[in-house]
Amino acid sequence: MLHIYCPHCCEYREEEEFHAKGQAHIVRPLDPDACTDQEWGEFMYFRKNPRGIHHELWVHAAGCRKFFNVTRNTQTYEIKEVYKVGEKPTIVAE
Amino acid sequence: MQHYSGFGLLKHSLSHHENWQRIWRNPTPKKKYDVIIVGGGGHGLATAYYLAKQFGVTNVAVIEKGYLGGGNTARNTTIVRSNYLWDEAAHLYEHSMKLWEGLSQDLNYNVMFSQRGCLNLGHTLQDMRDIERRVNANRLNGIDGEVLDAQQVKEIVPILDCSSDRRYPVMGASWQPRAGVARHDAVAWGFARGADAHGVDLIQQTEVVDFIIEDGTVIGVKTDRYGEIRADRVGCVVAGNSSVLAAKAGFELPLESHPLQALVSEPIKPILDTVVMSNHVHGYASQSDKGDLVIGAGIDGYTGYGQRGSYGTIEHTLQAIVEMFPIFSRVRMNRQWGGIVDTCPDACPIVSETPVKNLFFNCGWGTGGFKATPGSGNVFAASLAKGEMHELAKPFSMFRYHNGALVDEHGAAGVAH
Ligand SMILES: Cc1cc2nc3c(=O)[nH]c(=O)nc-3n(C[C@H](O)[C@H](O)[C@H](O)COP(=O)(O)OP(=O)(O)OC[C@H]3O[C@@H](n4cnc5c(N)ncnc54)[C@H](O)[C@@H]3O)c2cc1C
Ligand SMILES: [Zn+2]
């Protein structure tokens, strides 16, 4: 069971209150009509899936319902840091 | 290869079963192969078997970082069925189903394939509409299937609570009589023995750590134990580790790896003689020949490479099981474990060429690839033998995520299958 710190509620809560929403920092192409099929497909479907450090988007679904980012090790499950959307992580995935 | 038979069993009993032949060799790898398969799970071993037996390519090595069948192959809930909605998927899984039906004879190894039927329950009107659509689609594809109402379901599984005042009442089900279960370890061992007998080298305890790529073409692999081993073609069948290996070859796959769990109960007397699955409350169960209830859970919500899975998921699954089978509420659970499954955005596998020439990937089977083991191996072997994808595999190219031709079983099945 993960204990996750919500940067909006400013407290630790149990994993069950949260939902993981996949890879963080995915930027929607500014001009989708100008994208090649490859660029669009990659934006839609291709995700980082590292065995190690990963930046993820989470939502405090059964709490404040706000989104935030988590840097987590997908092998050890250790949560390295939690930061708000718009902020930069201090630990960067290779 | 020693042929297994009733007579052999009798003969060996005279020497207290101490002189059985080893069922595969433990060779040192050669410098070069025609084909290297990375990953000694069911799919990789089946690929090697069919490559050698059906396509005459016998200079083959399977390289496995752990032991044969130690991945998802022997961690799953063993459900085999072919009632998929989309034509492309239905054809692939039905190809597999036909191979299952003759597999024990073909391998001369009892994989304990038991066609005890499979029920996919419906708990809402929408579930029932989807079931009707899927069963009709199956029948148009020549795949057996029936739509049952709650009464008929109750007749097949008397211990299922089909009363209408439940929170999620059973309204009916789809029923595939030819579906069933198989003994998962035996599937890996049977294919391994068959491949070995045809000259395939099974290299265990050896991890592929990198590829040797020259001018965009793969010419071999690097291993942690035997250094470089060359090959004309390389096929990767490493399930949850596919993204990690693709990254070594310099490209990305549209995969996310999640832990998926299963649990088994203490053994009880025979009480459930079919497979019951429910997408809606999300739980599925069957009873093994040994008597334990084999229960499948869902994937963890976040990606992970830990072969255990989170507790919340188990709790959720057991709630669903007890909702459907109140009679199981006091049965003790004996063991729980997880596997790492590689899930695709459209819940269909990738059996494909890649941006690197002569490097092929067979992955993305997610939560439902055990049923495909013989079929996957068969079409992948055909593709590796010719260097060109088999007709049944073509719709499962990794490039479908660029051209938009997805085979969206997620839309059809909703969850894990
Ligand atoms: C709990 C659970 C329940 C499931 N239930 C069902 C079910 O009821 N029905 C169904 O159809 N499917 C089910 N599945 C899915 C099914 O088990 C898989 O889709 C299938 O087994 C995949 O087979 P595979 O041979 O591709 O993978 P695996 O059996 O995982 O084999 C991959 C192998 O590659 C090896 N490997 C990885 N990296 C390397 C490397 N770098 N070098 C060398 N070797 C490497 C691994 O050690 C592993 O042995 C379930 C899965 C799980 C985990
Ligand atoms: Zn919060």
Side-chain angles (χ1 to χ4, degrees):
Chain A
M1 174 75 74
L2 301 175
H3 265 168
I4 303 174
Y5 182 82
C6 172
H8 302 289
C9 298
C10 300
E11 52 183 76
Y12 282 92
R13 309 297 302 222
E14 289 188 349
E15 174 184 331
E16 287 277 271
E17 289 189 13
F18 299 85
H19 281 308
K21 291 290 183 181
Q23 187 189 331
H25 308 295
I26 294 172
V27 185
R28 185 184 165 90
L30 284 176
D31 183 3
D33 291 334
C35 280
T36 61
D37 285 354
Q38 174 152 359
E39 284 163 350
W40 186 250
E42 259 145 46
F43 159 67
M44 288 287 282
Y45 302 116
F46 287 69
R47 297 290 178 261
K48 295 258 179 294
N49 187 24
R51 192 183 187 110
I53 302 293
H54 193 29
H55 302 298
E56 303 173 321
L57 185 65
W58 284 70
V59 58
H60 195 180
C64 64
R65 302 174 66 183
K66 288 186 182 138
F67 286 80
F68 59 93
N69 293 329
V70 169
T71 305
R72 192 173 61 90
N73 186 319
T74 61
Q75 198 168 7
T76 63
Y77 290 56
E78 186 195 350
I79 293 176
K80 299 280 187 186
E81 63 179 331
V82 166
Y83 55 102
K84 288 187 182 155
V85 172
E87 290 175 1
K88 282 209 167 66
T90 59
I91 299 155
V92 183
E94 72 281 2
Chain B
M1 182 177 83
Q2 199 169 36
H3 188 80
Y4 293 152
S5 65
F7 176 72
L9 201 60
L10 197 69
K11 193 180 88 186
H12 280 283
S13 72
L14 299 176
S15 55
H16 307 282
H17 297 288
E18 280 170 2
N19 298 315
W20 288 99
Q21 197 182 52
R22 289 191 74 100
I23 71 173
W24 52 75
R25 298 162 295 133
N26 200 8
T28 313
K30 302 179 205 162
K31 292 260 170 301
K32 160 118 206 295
Y33 290 93
D34 293 345
V35 179
I36 286 178
I37 313 274
V38 188
H43 288 207
L45 293 166
T47 307
Y49 173 74
Y50 290 114
L51 258 177
K53 185 176 175 204
Q54 194 175 339
F55 302 100
V57 186
T58 53
N59 186 24
V60 175
V62 177
I63 304 181
E64 163 58 49
K65 72 172 175 184
Y67 54 94
L68 304 178
N72 293 334
T73 292
R75 290 169 185 268
N76 62 66
T77 48
T78 77
I79 302 167
V80 174
R81 59 192 179 86
S82 63
N83 54 352
Y84 281 69
L85 178 72
W86 300 115
D87 290 352
E88 299 87 342
H91 291 154
L92 185 57
Y93 289 105
E94 179 61 15
H95 177 58
S96 197
M97 180 66 90
K98 294 211 171 100
L99 290 170
W100 278 114
E101 288 177 321
L103 196 61
S104 291
Q105 286 75 11
D106 184 31
L107 294 175
N108 176 234
Y109 198 92
N110 188 1
V111 298
M112 294 163 79
F113 181 49
S114 157
Q115 291 176 291
R116 57 185 71 180
C118 176
L119 288 163
N120 290 78
L121 303 180
H123 301 266
T124 66
L125 266 182
Q126 186 58 45
D127 277 357
M128 290 314 296
R129 290 190 192 110
D130 290 342
I131 282 172
E132 268 165 42
R133 181 178 178 219
R134 181 161 44 79
V135 168
N136 284 328
N138 289 161
R139 293 173 75 137
L140 287 172
N141 274 322
I143 295 167
D144 59 323
E146 279 171 58
V147 181
L148 306 184
D149 62 23
Q151 185 60 37
Q152 291 167 303
V153 172
K154 183 84 186 164
E155 276 160 26
I156 295 177
V157 190
I159 56 167
L160 194 67
D161 186 347
C162 292
S163 45
S164 55
D165 58 355
R166 302 292 295 183
R167 182 165 176 204
Y168 302 107
V170 173
M171 297 181 74
S174 70
W175 169 238
Q176 187 182 18
R178 279 162 70 240
V181 293
R183 169 80 197 277
H184 43 16
D185 319 82
V187 173
W189 300 334
F191 275 120
R193 172 173 172 265
D196 175 86
H198 284 93
V200 171
D201 285 352
L202 306 174
I203 317 290
Q204 301 186 63
Q205 306 291 336
T206 305
E207 182 171 355
V208 168
V209 291
D210 209 349
F211 297 98
I212 315 169
I213 298 174
E214 269 175 18
D215 301 326
T217 305
V218 74
I219 54 163
V221 300
K222 288 183 188 153
T223 67
D224 61 348
R225 192 157 152 213
Y226 296 106
E228 295 189 354
I229 307 176
R230 304 267 158 161
D232 294 334
R233 289 186 186 133
V234 177
C236 280
V237 209
V238 293
N241 288 297
S242 301
S243 299
V244 176
L245 273 181
K248 304 255 185 226
F251 59 91
E252 279 192 351
L253 289 167
L255 298 173
E256 288 192 321
S257 297
H258 293 260
L260 175 68
Q261 304 177 71
L263 31 156
V264 291
S265 73
E266 58 190 339
I268 55 177
K269 286 186 176 175
I271 191 167
L272 181 61
D273 63 359
T274 185
V275 181
V276 179
M277 309 182 67
S278 167
N279 282 355
H280 196 84
V281 297
H282 203 280
Y284 33 109
S286 63
Q287 188 173 18
S288 76
D289 295 343
K290 203 167 63 186
D292 36 21
L293 299 169
V294 182
I295 295 172
I299 57 171
D300 280 6
Y302 40 89
T303 60
Y305 286 86
Q307 288 180 314
R308 46 200 159 108
S310 63
Y311 286 112
T313 306
I314 302 176
E315 192 179 357
H316 179 75
T317 297
L318 289 178
Q319 280 165 358
I321 294 294
V322 173
E323 160 83 19
M324 294 191 286
F325 301 98
I327 194 174
F328 292 160
S329 67
R330 278 168 293 169
V331 176
R332 286 187 194 84
M333 292 302 137
N334 244 3
R335 290 183 291 129
Q336 163 274 351
W337 64 87
I340 316 164
V341 298
D342 45 346
T343 58
C344 274
D346 57 354
C348 273
I350 291 172
V351 186
S352 181
E353 292 149 329
T354 67
V356 178
K357 196 161 179 285
N358 291 340
L359 177 62
F360 299 79
F361 265 68
N362 182 346
C363 58
W365 291 93
T367 60
F370 176 66
K371 62 178 76 66
T373 307
S376 158
N378 191 261
V379 300
F380 200 47
S383 312
L384 283 167
K386 296 205 182 76
E388 183 196 308
M389 299 318 292
H390 185 279
E391 276 310 311
L392 287 175
K394 276 185 185 158
F396 300 98
S397 160
M398 66 174 277
F399 301 107
R400 72 180 184 271
Y401 300 96
H402 288 147
N403 62 28
L406 308 189
V407 187
D408 194 2
E409 285 295 338
H410 246 317
V415 288
H417 36 160

